[in-house]
Amino acid sequence: MPESAYFHIPFCVNICHYCDFNKVFLKGQPVNEYLDSMEKEMENTLELSPFSSMKTLFVGGGTPTALNAEQFERFLAMVNRHFSSPDRLEFTVESNPEQTDLRKLEIMRDAGVNRLSIGVQAFQEKLLKELGRTHNQQDVVRTVTDAKRLGLDNLSLDIMFSLPRQTVDMLKETLDIAFSLDVPHFSAYSLQLERKTVFYNRAVKGELLLPEQEEEARMYEVLMEEMDKHGYVQYEISNFAKPGYESMHNLQYWDNNEYYGIGAGAHSYVNGTRKANAGPLKKYMSLIEETGFPYIHEDVLSASEKMEEELFMGLRKMNGISDQRFIKRYGRSMFDVFGSQIDKLLERGLVKVSGDKLALTRNGTFLGNEVFQEFIGVV
């Protein structure tokens, strides 16, 4: 039974050059009608599959803070109306610095939001322009300062590396500025070229100058070293936190737990079934109107698929996977189910065994996708 829920706000004031998430330009969109559809999906979903406890909520996009103050307040009230729980631990909202003014921060605080994930990516104006971002360093500083002043001090900054024309020194500069803001959590991702993005199209034409593979690996190494030096524990391949400030919501995903997904393009995992919502707004809204649900794909997972997901999701965590927990869930040891794959990875030095836990080695963190691939389609 899910104890977490994700909500998708697909609207953006501008479209970043690397982003392949489900999103649309805000101007001229039927925002209020979309919120009506979201509320219907919330009601129908919970009528079909009610929860007994709701520990974490996460609002992503798109850009949730692209909503105007009235819409934003209405949306958060809807979430609280349907997904409130006395044992809620974490309520996260993603925000863009240039669209997160004091009023929206007050709305979040008053609605019980207690964690903010701020899209920063870099602090060099040239890099931000290259990425299609419209904020600057001052916007980030203001957002962090205002949030802390209102008591919203559980803050996470998103950082990107391996960007076009980015150097190791530029990444170090970004990290130095980020550390000076004294926030307890960072998510740091290397650029991935995704289809249907500006960057992908430029790369196909040979117009995108990206760091070499060795340079990207060096950036990741510098990232890990600097985070450690400043007291941030790497608890997942791309996430670093001061002790006690790990993202509880994202840990639900990496622990392969169930969750609700509400909104256009959202995904859910409920009662052993993964479902995908329609992405285009018109299709999402018309499906809600016609059937009450926006699903375009449903996949009932087999026991073998669940075990595979347990491995390739759980190995993202530096703490790894407990065999005791695996046995409790599936009635078999992961060392029996995936013995040959684990032996192969042990031989390559990409995973390690400590007690009943299987985890990535330091080398394994650089080759995570190769490790995860070993567990797909083998049972």
Side-chain angles (χ1 to χ4, degrees):
M1 184 179 293
E3 293 186 335
S4 299
Y6 171 81
F7 307 88
H8 193 76
I9 301 295
F11 308 108
C12 290
V13 175
N14 64 287
I15 304 295
C16 299
H17 296 169
Y18 54 87
C19 179
D20 75 327
F21 294 128
N22 190 49
K23 76 281 182 186
V24 292
F25 278 112
L26 174 66
K27 190 174 181 182
Q29 295 295 340
V31 178
N32 289 314
E33 292 85 348
Y34 175 74
L35 296 180
D36 290 340
S37 294
M38 282 190 85
E39 183 150 34
K40 285 180 185 174
E41 186 189 1
M42 293 179 196
E43 292 168 352
N44 295 343
T45 297
L46 295 181
E47 186 177 347
L48 187 68
S49 304
F51 63 84
S52 59
S53 173
M54 189 52 45
K55 299 288 179 60
T56 72
L57 305 176
F58 195 105
V59 182
T63 311
T65 49
L67 299 179
N68 66 36
E70 184 182 1
Q71 293 162 343
F72 195 43
E73 190 167 27
R74 178 195 166 197
F75 164 71
L76 293 177
M78 278 165 38
V79 172
N80 277 325
R81 189 154 55 245
H82 298 288
F83 287 86
S84 63
S85 180
D87 54 358
R88 185 164 71 197
L89 301 171
E90 186 181 270
F91 189 173
T92 303
V93 173
E94 288 182 349
S95 75
N96 275 5
E98 71 276 30
Q99 284 131 24
T100 309
D101 57 23
L102 193 58
R103 176 68 187 123
K104 288 177 187 172
L105 287 168
E106 289 171 341
I107 289 169
M108 284 189 268
R109 178 200 60 190
D110 294 346
V113 173
N114 59 8
R115 186 173 181 272
L116 208 58
S117 178
I118 304 169
V120 174
Q121 319 317 345
F123 281 109
Q124 294 83 9
E125 284 190 28
K126 282 185 180 179
L127 276 185
L128 290 171
K129 188 174 182 182
E130 180 84 8
L131 292 170
R133 305 288 294 185
T134 56
H135 71 268
N136 56 36
Q137 183 177 329
Q138 290 70 35
D139 292 325
V140 178
V141 172
R142 174 189 51 75
T143 299
V144 170
T145 303
D146 286 348
K148 287 182 177 180
R149 188 155 53 86
L150 292 175
L152 288 166
D153 52 9
N154 189 356
L155 304 174
S156 177
L157 303 187
D158 283 353
I159 303 293
M160 292 182 73
F161 63 95
S162 194
L163 301 174
R165 304 181 190 279
Q166 186 183 35
T167 64
V168 170
D169 285 342
M170 291 168 81
L171 175 62
K172 284 182 177 177
E173 181 183 40
T174 284
L175 291 173
D176 285 342
I177 297 169
F179 292 138
S180 74
L181 296 175
D182 191 27
V183 300
H185 189 282
F186 289 99
S187 294
Y189 303 96
S190 66
L191 174 68
Q192 303 297 311
L193 291 179
E194 306 288 357
R195 290 180 179 275
K196 299 181 182 177
T197 63
V198 172
F199 274 177
Y200 181 85
N201 294 333
R202 285 176 56 191
V204 168
K205 296 175 185 175
E207 298 173 356
L208 199 66
L209 187 62
L210 296 172
E212 297 292 333
Q213 197 170 359
E214 294 79 8
E215 185 86 340
E216 179 182 348
R218 177 60 186 147
M219 287 183 185
Y220 186 45
E221 194 170 27
V222 165
L223 175 72
M224 291 191 288
E225 290 169 356
E226 290 298 312
M227 289 290 174
D228 183 59
K229 191 188 301 181
H230 287 82
Y232 294 87
V233 177
Q234 184 177 17
Y235 69 99
E236 189 268 348
I237 285 181
S238 302
N239 285 270
F240 306 80
K242 292 288 178 73
Y245 285 92
E246 299 82 2
S247 169
M248 289 184 241
H249 183 83
N250 286 337
L251 281 166
Q252 295 292 314
Y253 299 144
W254 302 321
D255 284 338
N256 203 24
N257 293 331
E258 295 192 342
Y259 54 90
Y260 300 103
I262 304 292
H267 290 73
S268 59
Y269 182 28
V270 180
N271 297 327
T273 302
R274 293 198 180 276
K275 299 178 183 179
N277 288 3
L281 259 63
K282 284 185 179 178
K283 187 169 185 181
Y284 169 81
M285 293 163 67
S286 66
L287 281 173
I288 294 282
E289 187 66 32
E290 293 162 13
T291 71
F293 297 97
Y295 310 136
I296 54 169
H297 180 74
E298 298 187 32
D299 184 17
V300 180
L301 298 189
S302 65
S304 60
E305 287 172 324
K306 289 179 183 178
M307 288 190 285
E308 288 170 5
E309 291 193 357
E310 192 85 15
L311 266 290
F312 67 73
M313 295 293 289
L315 279 173
R316 293 190 63 89
K317 301 176 296 179
M318 297 298 102
N319 199 31
I321 304 162
S322 161
D323 194 41
Q324 194 174 348
R325 184 174 184 269
F326 190 94
I327 293 169
K328 188 175 179 182
R329 279 194 165 185
Y330 307 108
R332 299 174 66 188
S333 166
M334 64 182 168
F335 296 103
D336 291 336
V337 179
F338 301 103
S340 61
Q341 289 77 25
I342 291 171
D343 287 344
K344 180 181 174 183
L345 293 167
L346 284 167
E347 202 172 298
R348 292 181 62 193
L350 300 181
V351 298
K352 60 187 176 182
V353 176
S354 178
D356 84 321
K357 287 189 175 178
L358 179 71
L360 293 177
T361 60
R362 186 175 175 85
N363 282 343
T365 62
F366 288 89
L367 298 169
N369 287 336
E370 285 187 34
V371 174
F372 308 147
Q373 194 67 36
E374 287 293 326
F375 301 102
I376 299 175
V378 298
V379 181

